[in-house]
Every structure is written in structure tokens, then in C-alpha cells.
Amino acid sequence: MWAEDFSDLAKTLKASEIRELLKVTQMEGIISFAGGLPNPKSFPVEIINEITSNLLDRYGEKMLQYGSTEGVNSFRDTLAEYFMKTHDFKNLSRDNILITSGSQQGLYLLGKVFLNPGDIVVVEAPTYVGALTAFQTFQPTYVEAELENDGMSMELLEKKLKELKKEGKKPKFIYSIPTFQNPAGVTMSLEKRKRLLELAHEYDVLVVEDSPYEELRFSGEKIPQLKALDNDGYVLYLGTLSKVLSPGMRIAFMIGDEEVIHKAALAKQGVDLCTSPFVQYIAEEYIKGGYMSSHIPRIIELYREKRNIMLDALEDYFPDGVEWTKPDGGMFLWVTLPKHLDSEKLLPKAIENKVVYVIGAAFYPHRDHKNTMRLNFTYPSNEEIEEGVKRLAKVIKEAL
Ligand code: PMP
Ligand code: G9A
């Protein structure tokens, strides 16, 4: 009835592939490798129950009131200390930190702060589909740097930055998920991280480091975050508690240059006034009380087993000519089918066989890669992983 009155922007809005697929995944008997959902077994329900009731006794009035847009000050102080101590981030104070309602909101706020229509954003290809959804309101132009097994191609990035400079253009930022990337599961090497920062300096471009998965390492050596290698505000870091505590709590944080943080807080005022103080107090106690550090190893153990089961099943059931990444952490792996197969065309067949994944094209700004798919291994049960891979292998073999 009102569709004619929708704004030009609303008329362009498209559903996120992942949000849409959540409906399919709720169908009876479906095994889902689609959404990036943590396993419910990873939620520390009892700890949260206990913390919440203690906190309500002590701080009930503050928890139930509106809070400042920047976030609860003591929580911002706790995070500053936590990231300097555990991540080696330099010179943080609460003024470098904005609490957001999920990193998804952080991405949206960055769009609001930086992007005019047509502005350039450099992304890894493939990249997180939710970032494309967040930025779409601001209608940027994308420049893609291909993702390799050790992270974004620095050669391509340099080439593109050089070309843009020749045309008198500069990207507003480079968006990267360097650790256990979504969707591909790969991790950027230390050499590439250093090179990325050199290029950021040379071409004077901000780097947005989106890092929800870094704590979930199952194998290999820890690599410093880009933000830990940054001495002068070239990296804006997005962290979240969604994958190490609960996505339902919607607690995340943007860490970076004070001026950007302040502007993002102004942008947030019009979005939700503030992130729930109730939940911020709980999150603060979860970190300060050491619960987070003691709980993460349990999540890692749960997910490492699931990753191994999926890798073994892929090896056992997938036909020759199909390749996949072998992630050291995170929640996803990335499957590449022979060139002539289109994972979007296979999806209805997969759903018929009661298994679902996210098509690779969703993770490219121009949706121009067809023969890939993303598999999540954290949500299904161990038995479902094996059975789901078997079903998917059948669909692929039939298509071959
Ligand atoms: N960035 C990336 C790379 C993600 O994978 C996700 C969640 N899937 C988000 C941001 C958003 O996370 P949240 O809003 O729950 O913090
Ligand atoms: O449910 C969501 O939209 C968050 C998950 C993101 C993903 O699957 O990448």
C-alpha cells in the first residue's frame, strides 16, 4: 500500500543472503552450514545468570537507565586495559573506544562517518556479506583485492592504490578481516600485515580491521592484530563479544583514533541513543572477573573438534576437483568447485537434500564468482557435520 512512497534508498535495499537463509535453516530436518551461528553449547548460561543477579543487586538503577552514547565508562576502561594487556594495543584510553550494538553497527557507523555516494572502499574478494549490506546505504564503489591463502593480495592492493592515485583518487578505507576470515577462513601472514600498514601509510589510507574470530584459534601460532602493529592511528579495529560470549547480547567495540571515535559516537546518537547499559555491565564483569579468559579455551575445544570432523568428512566424501581451505580457527571454510559449476544453481538441490550453505557469489560486491560456497562448522552437531557433508557431496557429484 505504501511502497510507492518508499525512499529511493529503500527501493534499492536487498536482503542479506545470510539473513534470508536463516528462514530455510529453521525448516525441519535441515542441516545448516549456512549462518555464522555460534554453537549454543558455547554459551556460558550459568555464569551469566550468576553475574546478572549479583550486578542487579549492586548496580540495578544504573543498569536499567539510559546510558551515554559512547558506552559505560568503566566498561570502556576495562576494554582499554584488556586490549593493551592481552593484545599489545598501544596507548589506549576510553576515548579511543566506542561501544556498539554489534560490530554490524560499527560497520554501519563507519559508512555513515566516511562514505559519500561513489566513494571508494577497498575490500578483500571475497569479503563479509554483512559489511556490504552495512555499506550499501552509502552507495560506495568497491575496489577488490583478491584474497589468497595468506590473506589479501598485497601486489594487487598496491597496483590498485597506484592506479587510483594516478587518477587522483584515494579510497576512504581498506576493509579487511585478517584473522580467520569470513567467509574463507584464511589468515593474513605477518609479512602481509606489515606490508598492508606500509601501504596504508604510503597512500595515506585508513585500514578497518574487523576481527570477530581472532580468539578462536585451534592451531598454528598467534599473529599480532593489525591494530597491535599500528602506532599512529591508521587502523580502526572492530571487536565483538558475539563469538566468544553471545551474539544475542549485541556487544561490540570500535577502537581507534579519538576523532573518528567521537564522530562515530555522534553518528550513533541518531541510531540507538546507546547500547544497552544492562548488557554492558554484564559484559564488563565477564571480562574483569576473568570469566572470558577461562571460558574461551572451552569454546576452542568444542570448535576444533568440529573443524576436524568437517575436514575429515570433506576428504572422505567430496569428489576430486573440489578444493577447500583448512582454517586454523574461526567458524568457516571455503569450498571451490570446478569452474563450470554454479553454487547458486545447486542450492535448491541441496535444500531438497536437506543441507544448506551460503553461495560464494554473496561475498563479492559484484556477485561475479559462481563456483564457490561457504560452510560453517560451529553450529551443527558433530553427527550433522558428517551427514551434511555426505548430502552435499551427493549433490555435487550429481551435478558433475
Ligand atoms: N564482521 C564479521 C566479519 C562478521 O563475521 C560478523 C558476524 N558474522 C560481524 C562483523 C557482525 O558481528 P556482530 O554484529 O554480532 O558483532
Ligand atoms: O546472523 C547473522 O547475520 C550473523 C552471521 C554472519 C555470517 O553468517 O557471516
Side-chain angles (χ1 to χ4, degrees):
M1 190 155 97
W2 302 106
E4 266 180 40
D5 290 339
F6 287 167
S7 67
D8 292 343
L9 169 68
K11 285 174 188 154
T12 68
L13 294 179
K14 293 184 293 293
S16 144
E17 224 87 14
I18 290 167
R19 297 266 102 205
E20 282 300 292
L21 274 176
L22 279 178
K23 294 172 200 159
V24 177
T25 60
Q26 277 148 17
M27 282 159 50
E28 187 67 23
I30 281 265
I31 295 178
S32 176
F33 298 142
L37 305 190
N39 196 287
K41 282 189 187 153
S42 75
F43 300 146
V45 178
E46 274 169 33
I47 299 172
I48 296 301
N49 193 0
E50 197 183 304
I51 291 178
T52 306
S53 106
N54 286 340
L55 285 175
L56 273 173
D57 287 342
R58 280 191 287 155
Y59 303 112
E61 288 183 11
K62 286 185 186 158
M63 289 171 78
L64 297 170
Q65 189 54 278
Y66 284 118
S68 77
T69 304
E70 286 78 3
V72 170
N73 278 339
S74 54
F75 183 37
R76 294 160 77 208
D77 292 341
T78 299
L79 287 170
E81 202 175 305
Y82 177 81
F83 277 97
M84 286 195 289
K85 205 164 126 194
T86 61
H87 284 58
D88 213 16
F89 288 9
K90 315 279 184 325
N91 302 324
L92 289 189
S93 79
R94 69 170 70 145
D95 296 330
N96 300 106
I97 300 179
L98 172 70
I99 308 301
T100 60
S101 305
S103 283
Q104 191 62 34
Q105 184 183 59
L107 291 166
Y108 180 81
L109 296 178
L110 285 179
K112 201 167 168 186
V113 166
F114 283 106
L115 300 178
N116 293 314
D119 276 352
I120 298 163
V121 175
V122 180
V123 293
E124 289 155 349
T127 189
Y128 170 50
V129 59
L132 302 176
T133 310
F135 300 150
Q136 96 183 346
T137 304
F138 311 101
Q139 299 166 23
T141 306
Y142 292 104
V143 166
E144 300 175 23
E146 196 186 332
L147 191 70
E148 298 168 331
N149 272 333
D150 58 352
M152 183 195 293
S153 161
M154 288 301 133
E155 268 149 51
L156 269 181
L157 175 65
E158 184 172 13
K159 184 167 168 267
K160 302 233 161 132
L161 290 173
K162 214 179 257 174
E163 282 168 8
L164 288 171
K165 194 171 178 180
K166 261 198 207 141
E167 297 166 28
K169 293 179 185 163
K170 194 180 96 155
K172 282 292 175 70
F173 52 82
I174 301 165
Y175 172 68
S176 173
I177 308 141
T179 312
F180 316 136
Q181 207 249 13
N182 182 3
V186 302
T187 293
M188 191 186 287
S189 65
L190 182 58
E191 298 76 62
K192 282 196 172 176
R193 288 173 196 233
K194 289 181 179 162
R195 184 68 192 135
L196 176 53
L197 288 182
E198 278 170 14
L199 290 170
H201 278 87
E202 192 178 330
Y203 290 88
D204 202 29
V205 185
L206 180 72
V207 176
V208 174
E209 174 178 38
D210 188 6
S211 196
Y213 305 103
E214 68 196 28
E215 303 280 6
L216 303 176
R217 178 177 281 284
F218 322 134
S219 50
E221 290 293 312
K222 192 170 169 176
I223 304 177
Q225 294 309 127
L226 292 168
K227 186 73 197 148
L229 303 170
D230 172 42
N231 296 315
D232 38 22
Y234 272 75
V235 178
L236 197 86
Y237 170 94
L238 298 175
T240 177
L241 296 185
S242 284
K243 313 296 156 108
V244 288
L245 172 55
S246 143
M249 287 172 67
R250 310 305 300 132
I251 292 284
F253 19 89
M254 181 187 288
I255 302 182
D257 175 73
E258 246 179 82
E259 210 180 353
V260 178
I261 294 298
H262 176 63
K263 195 54 104 177
L266 296 184
K268 182 173 158 75
Q269 286 179 4
V271 177
D272 65 356
L273 304 179
C274 63
T275 294
S276 159
F278 185 91
V279 185
Q280 288 184 62
Y281 273 91
I282 298 168
E284 178 185 344
E285 182 57 24
Y286 187 70
I287 295 174
K288 223 157 120 182
Y291 301 103
M292 176 135 115
S293 313
S294 58
H295 188 65
I296 287 174
R298 293 189 202 169
I299 306 180
I300 292 176
E301 216 172 291
L302 181 71
Y303 290 175
R304 183 192 286 118
E305 189 181 11
K306 290 183 183 295
R307 176 206 58 177
N308 291 346
I309 291 171
M310 184 170 273
L311 286 176
D312 288 348
L314 290 170
E315 204 63 63
D316 289 346
Y317 301 113
F318 266 29
D320 286 347
V322 181
E323 290 173 3
W324 53 90
T325 57
K326 298 177 179 66
D328 276 324
M331 300 181 27
F332 309 105
L333 58 78
W334 184 247
V335 174
T336 305
L337 304 170
K339 269 250 157 12
H340 65 282
L341 291 189
D342 178 345
S343 67
E344 188 163 10
K345 292 202 178 124
L346 293 189
L347 190 60
K349 277 264 166 264
I351 294 172
E352 235 170 69
N353 282 274
K354 296 213 175 298
V355 60
V356 61
Y357 54 83
V358 185
I359 61 167
F363 302 94
Y364 293 88
H366 309 295
R367 300 179 69 92
D368 48 357
H369 292 65
K370 304 288 184 200
N371 63 324
T372 51
M373 58 174 75
R374 187 192 74 176
L375 303 185
N376 163 271
F377 52 78
T378 58
Y379 183 70
S381 69
N382 295 354
E383 296 70 31
E384 283 173 333
I385 295 175
E386 166 134 10
E387 175 59 27
V389 170
K390 243 193 240 176
R391 292 179 190 177
L392 199 50
K394 176 173 163 253
V395 172
I396 296 171
K397 279 178 191 159
E398 280 171 10
L400 281 173

